[in-house]
Amino acid sequence: MLRDIIEDWKKQGGDCETVTVYCPYCHQGMAAEATPDIVRNEELLNELATETCQCPEAQYETKRKQRVESVDEKVNALLGKESGSSVDEEILDLIKAMSIHICYGKIKKMSIQISQEAKVSISMDANGLLDIKKEIKNVSRQKI
């Protein structure tokens, strides 16, 4: 998230500039602090405005961005080397890519049969959270 990057920049002694950003959803103007790199990039200023604004659309988009950023961590925890039942990197990459498509609403639900024993299902729950399930035959479901 850009606001975290800006806070880290300030902690390291970097200078920030106060700029006026406009929400791409409600078009409300607001003051925000930005690093010199962000000030020169219109796309990053729009992203900062989305993270700063309190309108429902901006908050929804910010939460979706947080979910997308956490996909790698969640998939690695469930299926990566540390999980005890790791899968090939290509399959992990596919699951991560499909999870991002589900976060953006391009796909509703996806299931992949990895082996005779293992199956992964990905969908969004009623609260808009990414629901990744790993099912192993003769073992109960694991959900993160």
Side-chain angles (χ1 to χ4, degrees):
M1 302 290 296
L2 282 178
R3 291 171 66 182
D4 297 333
I5 293 170
I6 293 168
E7 287 302 315
D8 289 343
W9 176 261
K10 287 175 21 181
K11 286 179 186 174
Q12 295 174 1
D15 292 332
C16 285
E17 199 175 314
T18 301
V19 294
T20 302
V21 292
Y22 296 92
C23 176
Y25 301 100
C26 69
H27 307 291
Q28 175 181 341
M30 62 210 99
E33 289 187 313
T35 66
D37 292 339
I38 293 174
V39 170
R40 293 188 294 269
N41 188 321
E42 192 67 34
E43 187 177 315
L44 291 177
L45 285 174
N46 282 338
E47 193 174 319
L48 180 61
T50 302
E51 290 180 19
T52 305
C53 190
Q54 297 299 311
C55 75
E57 294 88 358
Q59 288 182 338
Y60 179 79
E61 189 60 35
T62 299
K63 287 179 184 175
R64 180 177 12 204
K65 183 180 174 194
Q66 289 172 337
R67 285 191 295 272
V68 167
E69 288 179 354
S70 70
V71 163
D72 279 349
E73 179 183 319
K74 288 182 177 184
V75 171
N76 286 336
L78 190 62
L79 299 166
K81 294 175 183 168
E82 304 85 32
S83 70
S85 60
S86 66
V87 298
D88 293 339
E89 278 298 316
E90 297 86 18
I91 295 171
L92 277 179
D93 292 342
L94 174 66
I95 292 170
K96 290 173 186 178
M98 292 299 108
S99 297
I100 291 170
H101 287 301
I102 289 170
C103 283
Y104 283 107
K106 296 178 181 178
I107 299 172
K108 282 284 200 197
K109 184 178 181 180
M110 180 192 86
S111 294
I112 297 177
Q113 186 79 33
I114 296 173
S115 66
Q116 292 292 348
E117 296 84 29
K119 177 181 177 182
V120 175
S121 301
I122 307 166
S123 62
M124 294 290 268
D125 69 8
N127 297 321
L129 301 174
L130 190 62
D131 186 11
I132 303 174
K133 298 176 188 168
K134 174 174 71 173
E135 298 178 44
I136 300 175
K137 278 191 179 177
N138 301 325
V139 179
S140 63
R141 291 183 177 181
Q142 296 179 11
K143 182 176 176 181
I144 61 169

